[in-house]
Amino acid sequence: MSTRAGARNLAFVFPGQGSQRPAMGRELSRCGDEARALIDRAEELSGVPVGELMTRADAATLADPEIAQLTIFVWSSVLAAELATTGLRPDVVAGHSLGEYPALVEAGCLSWESALALVARRGRAMAEAARRQPGAMAAIAGLSLEQVTNLCRQFSNKRNGAVLVVANLNAPRQAVISGTSEQVDEAAEAARSAGAFRVKRLPVGGAYHSPLMAEAERELAPLVAAADLRPPRVPFVSSVTGSVVDDIERYRRVLATQITRPVRWADTVERLGRLGATTFVEVGPGRVLSGLGRNMLRTAEHLAGTEALGTLVAAGQQL
């Protein structure tokens, strides 16, 4: 991996839905006019008041997939643009679920306008699928993947429509389950009894990365098939496979099925470390990925959101 910023090898990691929070747009006041102009451009192209939503919307409004995904994508795009103006460019990129779209832009695989259109359609399709087939997600910390997988098998039953799967493999002992609400609640209680030290329902509007999103996936598939995807200019690690994308057409098929497949974030972080990343910048609102990264790669530096601007520049990371 080449070094683009001083002695550190930079990994830009982009978070997914669930990282949104009220008033997150105010943090972008630290960014310049050129970067923040993306907000106006997003509003023009999408017809959605993105800036107002990022600044004034409450948590319930932001939990709607259609709003959450668009606002997180734009927030991440603004910060990435501001980092670029300071001369900070990544040596490798990855994104958690939705985060793969701004990561694709950063890697040069997809134009920002195309990614914005796909994200808007993705959020709308997932919101509609969630209304048709309601579901939930919950994070479980402290159990092994085998234990969580067994819980999903215990409480799922295809014959009566009960769905429960492992949706995110976020860390060696941190996973997210997804499925019908009753099954998520039952498995959450069983996880506590089995010794999980933290079980938390996620602020999302549906059962993402589960079979309940199949209709949304079918709706998005032709758009992904038609998208102008180009080979990455910098290494890009897929969070679906946990491996470097070296065949963009093969990856297109991965992206088309992303909505129902599990996110392998633990494998993704491990691969980023093997590629030489020593500084991880979470290019989005929140600190979820930074927290996960600190638990897995303790020798690396993990920075979150707009804090990365001052920290990296002060440390002499400008070109």
Side-chain angles (χ1 to χ4, degrees), residues 3-264:
T3 301
R4 300 184 182 211
R8 297 172 181 169
N9 287 321
L10 289 176
F12 280 10
V13 291
F14 296 84
Q17 190 172 339
S19 63
Q20 75 277 358
R21 62 186 186 278
M24 62 184 181
R26 294 174 187 169
E27 295 178 39
L28 297 178
S29 62
R30 298 181 61 180
C31 299
D33 292 341
E34 181 180 348
R36 285 188 287 116
L38 287 174
I39 299 173
D40 294 335
R41 181 62 174 153
E43 292 182 341
E44 177 186 348
L45 293 174
S46 69
V48 176
V50 177
E52 182 176 351
L53 288 167
M54 288 196 296
T55 304
R56 298 183 180 181
D58 59 19
T61 301
L62 290 171
D64 184 308
E66 191 169 354
I67 293 173
Q69 296 191 32
L70 193 59
T71 53
I72 292 168
F73 173 82
V74 174
W75 201 106
S76 297
S77 299
V78 172
L79 181 56
E82 182 65 16
L83 289 165
T85 66
T86 68
L88 291 165
R89 295 280 189 178
D91 296 286
V92 63
V93 299
H96 189 290
S97 187
L98 163 69
E100 288 210 345
Y101 286 88
L104 283 166
V105 175
E106 191 67 29
C109 298
L110 191 63
S111 73
W112 183 82
E113 291 81 5
S114 295
L116 178 77
L118 284 169
V119 166
R121 189 65 172 270
R122 183 183 192 266
R124 187 159 56 250
M126 292 173 73
E128 291 170 355
R131 283 191 285 270
R132 287 190 293 265
Q133 291 189 287
M137 301 178 76
I140 298 174
L143 300 184
S144 68
L145 174 59
E146 181 181 5
Q147 288 176 294
V148 176
T149 300
N150 287 337
L151 285 176
C152 290
R153 289 172 180 159
Q154 177 183 346
F155 291 103
S156 62
N157 188 331
K158 293 182 180 179
R159 287 177 295 179
N160 64 12
V163 173
L164 192 64
V165 298
V166 180
N168 300 347
L169 311 170
N170 283 335
R173 295 182 69 82
Q174 207 266 53
V176 173
I177 58 174
S178 179
T180 41
S181 295
E182 181 179 351
Q183 279 62 50
V184 169
D185 289 341
E186 289 176 345
E189 187 59 36
R192 293 187 183 95
S193 299
F197 63 81
R198 185 170 67 252
V199 180
K200 179 183 178 182
R201 272 253 203 164
L202 299 183
V204 295
Y208 310 134
H209 300 285
S210 84
L212 296 180
M213 287 290 114
E215 288 187 32
E217 186 170 273
R218 284 192 292 270
E219 181 178 335
L220 196 65
L223 302 180
V224 173
D228 182 19
L229 283 175
R230 300 177 293 275
R233 293 196 299 259
V234 297
F236 168 56
V237 179
S238 167
S239 64
V240 180
T241 64
S243 59
V244 176
V245 172
D246 52 16
D247 183 330
I248 198 65
E249 289 307 316
R250 183 181 300 169
Y251 171 75
R252 186 191 299 275
R253 295 191 291 273
V254 170
L255 185 63
T257 59
Q258 183 210 46
I259 294 175
T260 60
R261 294 175 65 176
V263 179
R264 299 184 177 277

Side-chain angles (χ1 to χ4, degrees), residues 236-316:
F236 168 56
V237 179
S238 167
S239 64
V240 180
T241 64
S243 59
V244 176
V245 172
D246 52 16
D247 183 330
I248 198 65
E249 289 307 316
R250 183 181 300 169
Y251 171 75
R252 186 191 299 275
R253 295 191 291 273
V254 170
L255 185 63
T257 59
Q258 183 210 46
I259 294 175
T260 60
R261 294 175 65 176
V263 179
R264 299 184 177 277
W265 191 248
D267 293 341
T268 300
V269 172
E270 181 183 358
R271 181 57 61 99
L272 293 170
R274 291 208 305 266
L275 288 170
T278 58
T279 299
F280 288 69
V281 180
E282 185 169 0
V283 188
R287 302 168 179 271
V288 173
L289 300 187
S290 299
L292 292 171
R294 289 189 186 97
N295 288 332
M296 286 184 279
L297 291 179
R298 297 180 183 276
T299 59
E301 183 176 23
H302 300 271
L303 304 172
T306 54
E307 292 178 358
L309 285 169
T311 301
L312 287 174
V313 172

